[in-house]
Amino acid sequence: MKILHITDFHYSKESQLQIKVVKSIVNTLKEQELNIDFVFFTGDLVLNGSKVESFENASIALFEEISTKLNITKENIIFCPGNHDIDRTVIHSAAKAYFEANITSDEKLNSLYKDKTDLMFIDSIKPSANFNNYLMKYHSKNEFNIYEDLYSIHFRESNNKKIGIVCLNSAWVSAIDKTGKNDKGNLLIPFVALEDIKKHLGHSLDKKILLIHHPLYFLKDFNLYSIENFIHNEFDLMFSGHVHKISSISRHSGTNGIFEHVAKASLSSKESLGCTIIDLDDVEENKIKVKELTYIDDDEKCHIGQEVVHTIPCGIEKTKMIAFRKKILTKLV
């Protein structure tokens, strides 16, 4: 299963560079005959989330270009929100003071999230409305696309494997800071939301994947440990963006492990333009191959970097299963 991980498009009317980069990525993938199964976009589709039409125009410039030219179905292009995708103008000016004074523990955060009638909670999710409305237009709500206040879940299949892809809104409380410059160490994810996600995902999936714009260290200290521990135990892969610094890590968590990929390149950062190809081995499921595509403005082309192979730690049962599949494949060949 090949995944194209892209992030931080920051679309606006002045997005000529971003559009050049996307076209170069598409041309390179076509030239190399690399068939992509999924596109994961980890937030900041637009530069400013205050206008609904911005999402429509960004989608045409990015998703439609990729889908049409690379023959990737619309259903397999999955995206989560980022801090630029929210509308900071619609949240109450008192929200920042309220959160700082009252939401000081996981218990208080969970209570706020569970009480859907709380006016401050209702106000806090308004900035994500434009993004959420566009997302539900792109992927219609049905049994394969589930939507809640702070996340969406998308059930897909690839090579006869059932996959659950969760898009988590890490930018939820980003809007309470009108400057948009103080996300690090101040974001929140209610633990009870993750428990609800686990119920939705069930136990019959072959892969559970998380898309989240911010790396987890952007969460408040009191919130970080429980969220990180849950994700590392419940998901197989996690993709994020925002920081424009590469970080591919294989972690051990309990009986198995998780692969985390923070995108090095974005579609808008002049210092590091490009994307990443993640290749999951169909036989050795714990082997992941990573290649960076870097856009060079001098020749207006994308250049493919050297392949890096990661091995995800796995328990005894999974190790035996992988070895058995390799044995069967060897006999067939």
Side-chain angles (χ1 to χ4, degrees):
M1 182 171 77
K2 280 189 175 63
I3 297 164
L4 179 65
H5 180 197
I6 53 179
T7 194
D8 294 73
F9 192 41
H10 294 176
Y11 178 85
S12 71
K13 290 180 179 179
E14 290 75 40
S15 296
Q16 296 307 310
L17 176 60
Q18 290 96 311
I19 291 169
K20 280 168 58 179
V21 175
V22 171
K23 290 184 182 297
S24 177
I25 290 169
V26 167
N27 290 337
T28 300
L29 293 175
K30 287 179 72 175
E31 287 169 7
Q32 297 294 320
E33 297 182 349
L34 294 171
N35 297 317
I36 302 297
D37 298 298
F38 287 94
V39 174
F40 293 160
F41 181 81
T42 48
D44 283 356
L45 181 59
V46 298
L47 186 63
N48 187 321
S50 61
K51 295 180 180 179
V52 178
E53 58 267 26
S54 295
F55 292 100
E56 298 278 358
N57 295 333
S59 182
I60 292 169
L62 179 59
F63 299 147
E64 192 171 303
E65 174 77 8
I66 289 173
S67 176
T68 304
K69 299 291 177 62
L70 296 179
N71 195 30
I72 300 169
T73 64
K74 180 180 177 181
E75 288 73 23
N76 284 2
I77 297 177
I78 311 293
F79 50 101
C80 71
N83 53 298
H84 280 272
D85 296 319
I86 58 177
D87 182 1
R88 297 178 190 275
T89 66
V90 298
I91 196 164
H92 197 285
S93 58
K96 183 174 172 55
Y98 175 86
F99 271 83
E100 288 178 351
N102 296 284
I103 309 304
T104 55
S105 68
D106 277 330
E107 291 75 18
K108 291 177 180 179
L109 176 60
N110 290 336
S111 295
L112 177 73
Y113 177 74
K114 287 190 288 187
D115 185 3
K116 304 297 184 182
T117 63
D118 187 293
L119 292 179
M120 188 53 72
F121 176 76
I122 293 170
D123 196 59
S124 72
I125 61 176
K126 286 179 182 177
S128 301
N130 287 340
F131 174 88
N132 289 337
N133 289 337
Y134 181 71
L135 177 59
M136 285 189 276
K137 182 178 179 182
Y138 194 88
H139 291 304
S140 298
K141 188 176 182 178
N142 54 38
E143 61 183 307
F144 302 108
N145 300 299
I146 296 171
Y147 295 98
E148 296 294 344
D149 292 320
L150 301 185
Y151 63 86
S152 64
I153 301 175
H154 309 275
F155 295 102
R156 301 292 186 264
E157 284 196 16
S158 177
N159 298 324
N160 297 316
K161 294 187 185 299
K162 294 180 180 179
I163 302 167
I165 305 162
V166 175
C167 297
L168 198 54
N169 187 354
S170 62
W172 165 49
V173 294
S174 179
I176 68 174
D177 172 35
K178 296 290 185 178
T179 69
K181 297 178 180 179
N182 297 304
D183 283 351
K184 191 173 181 180
N186 287 308
L187 301 185
L188 297 166
I189 295 171
F191 186 81
V192 287
L194 294 185
E195 290 181 321
D196 290 343
I197 287 170
K198 183 177 180 179
K199 291 174 186 175
H200 281 301
L201 292 176
H203 302 284
S204 61
L205 296 171
D206 296 295
K207 280 277 183 289
K208 291 181 283 186
I209 299 170
L210 177 66
L211 309 188
I212 179 171
H213 181 61
H214 298 85
L216 296 181
Y217 61 81
F218 275 73
L219 299 177
K220 277 185 176 290
D221 288 340
F222 75 76
N223 189 222
L224 174 61
Y225 175 75
S226 61
I227 300 302
E228 186 176 56
N229 190 51
F230 186 97
I231 289 170
H232 287 176
N233 279 287
E234 295 297 331
F235 288 89
D236 301 293
L237 300 101
M238 178 170 70
F239 295 88
S240 57
H242 186 66
V243 294
H244 309 167
K245 294 178 182 178
I246 188 169
S247 175
S248 294
I249 304 170
S250 299
R251 295 182 187 268
H252 192 272
S253 56
T255 56
N256 290 304
I258 182 172
F259 173 77
E260 301 177 33
H261 186 260
V262 180
K264 169 192 175 184
S266 74
L267 300 178
S268 58
S269 172
K270 290 184 179 180
E271 291 77 24
S272 188
L273 291 162
C275 61
T276 311
I277 299 171
I278 312 286
D279 192 353
L280 278 64
D281 196 300
D282 289 329
V283 179
E284 293 186 76
E285 288 185 3
N286 63 332
K287 287 282 179 67
I288 296 180
K289 301 168 186 174
V290 178
K291 287 183 180 178
E292 298 293 332
L293 270 69
T294 303
Y295 177 82
I296 305 298
D297 199 32
D298 292 344
D299 59 7
E300 297 186 351
K301 289 183 179 179
C302 271
H303 300 264
I304 301 178
Q306 188 173 357
E307 182 177 271
V308 177
V309 180
H310 294 264
T311 302
I312 303 176
C314 57
I316 296 172
E317 291 302 316
K318 195 167 185 177
T319 302
K320 287 181 179 178
M321 184 175 65
I322 291 169
F324 178 73
R325 274 202 299 267
K326 284 179 68 178
K327 195 173 183 180
I328 294 294
L329 183 67
T330 303
K331 288 183 177 179
L332 290 174
V333 173

